[in-house]
């Protein structure tokens, strides 16, 4: 136990005498309009916010939402992408239309690839719709073999 205390004391002393400065991982390239310091991106309960990294400065604002090429079905403006409890969704600010985004992506390329996969792996045999037809086919095979 005394060795642990000695090692801890050595580490604490090293940190105290170190010249290195702490640099937060969430710094953005935006600058504070009041003091000129870099803004930090912080997640709060109302979404992401940009807060000044200087403790004395009290500047903060809501982070700009990322626009997506998806258009609103009502007003045809670009929609903003957000992440919620149920996953990613897009929202149109002017008319407040919300649509969930699927995990598999979308677009013409994905649909084309999906059609190619269905064509490649699907059986070209017609499926019978009733159990009677399937039983009749099985009986005919048994009679031919026997």
């Amino acid at each position: 136990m005394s060795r642990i205390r000695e090692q801890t004391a050595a580490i604490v002393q090293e940190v105290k005498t170190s010249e290195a400065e702490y640099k937060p991982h969430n710094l953005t390239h935006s600058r504070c309009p009041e003091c000129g310091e870099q803004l930090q991106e912080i997640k709060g309960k109302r979404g992401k916010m940009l807060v000044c990294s200087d403790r004395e400065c009290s500047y903060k604002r809501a982070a700009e939402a990322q626009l997506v090429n998806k258009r609103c079905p009502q007003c045809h403006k670009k929609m903003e992408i957000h992440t919620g409890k149920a996953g990613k969704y897009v929202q149109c600010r002017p008319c407040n239309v919300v649509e969930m985004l699927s995990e598999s992506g979308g677009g013409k390329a994905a649909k084309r690839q999906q059609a190619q996969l269905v064509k490649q792996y699907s059986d070209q045999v017609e499926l019978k719709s009733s159990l009677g037809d399937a039983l009749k086919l099985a009986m005919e095979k048994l009679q031919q073999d026997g």
Side-chain angles (χ1 to χ4, degrees):
M1 190 72 166
S2 64
R3 235 173 90 195
I4 294 174
R5 284 196 178 115
E6 289 172 9
Q7 288 177 346
T8 306
I11 292 172
V12 168
Q13 188 63 30
E14 184 183 331
V15 169
K16 283 183 179 179
T17 59
S18 172
E19 296 289 325
E21 276 190 41
Y22 171 72
K23 188 172 182 181
H25 67 281
N26 55 355
L27 287 178
T28 62
H29 296 292
S30 303
R31 296 273 180 188
C32 176
E34 294 177 6
C35 68
E37 291 288 324
Q38 285 185 317
L39 295 176
Q40 292 180 338
E41 187 175 50
I42 296 176
K43 290 183 182 179
K45 62 180 172 180
R46 292 190 182 91
K48 292 182 181 177
M49 295 192 66
L50 295 175
V51 179
C52 183
S53 58
D54 187 11
R55 296 245 181 228
E56 285 79 38
C57 182
S58 61
Y59 179 78
K60 59 183 169 183
R61 71 168 193 246
E64 299 88 21
Q66 184 180 1
L67 289 177
V68 186
N69 240 358
K70 188 169 180 69
R71 298 288 180 157
C72 174
Q74 292 180 355
C75 67
H76 304 291
K77 292 185 180 178
K78 287 188 176 183
M79 299 177 88
E80 299 174 351
I81 189 165
H82 299 281
T83 304
K85 290 180 181 177
K88 290 188 176 186
Y89 64 94
V90 289
Q91 179 182 16
C92 177
R93 284 283 177 195
C95 48
N96 206 22
V97 172
V98 176
E99 291 182 9
M100 291 300 297
L101 289 177
S102 64
E103 292 293 323
S104 63
K108 292 182 181 179
K111 289 178 184 176
R112 189 179 314 121
Q113 186 178 11
Q114 185 179 12
Q116 287 175 347
L117 287 173
V118 167
K119 185 178 178 182
Q120 181 180 359
Y121 292 110
S122 66
D123 295 333
Q124 300 301 328
V125 179
E126 287 186 30
L127 297 176
K128 301 295 180 183
S129 60
S130 68
L131 182 61
D133 292 340
L135 286 173
K136 186 190 289 184
L137 187 64
M139 293 298 288
E140 289 175 3
K141 282 187 177 182
L142 279 175
Q143 287 176 356
Q144 289 175 357
D145 292 338

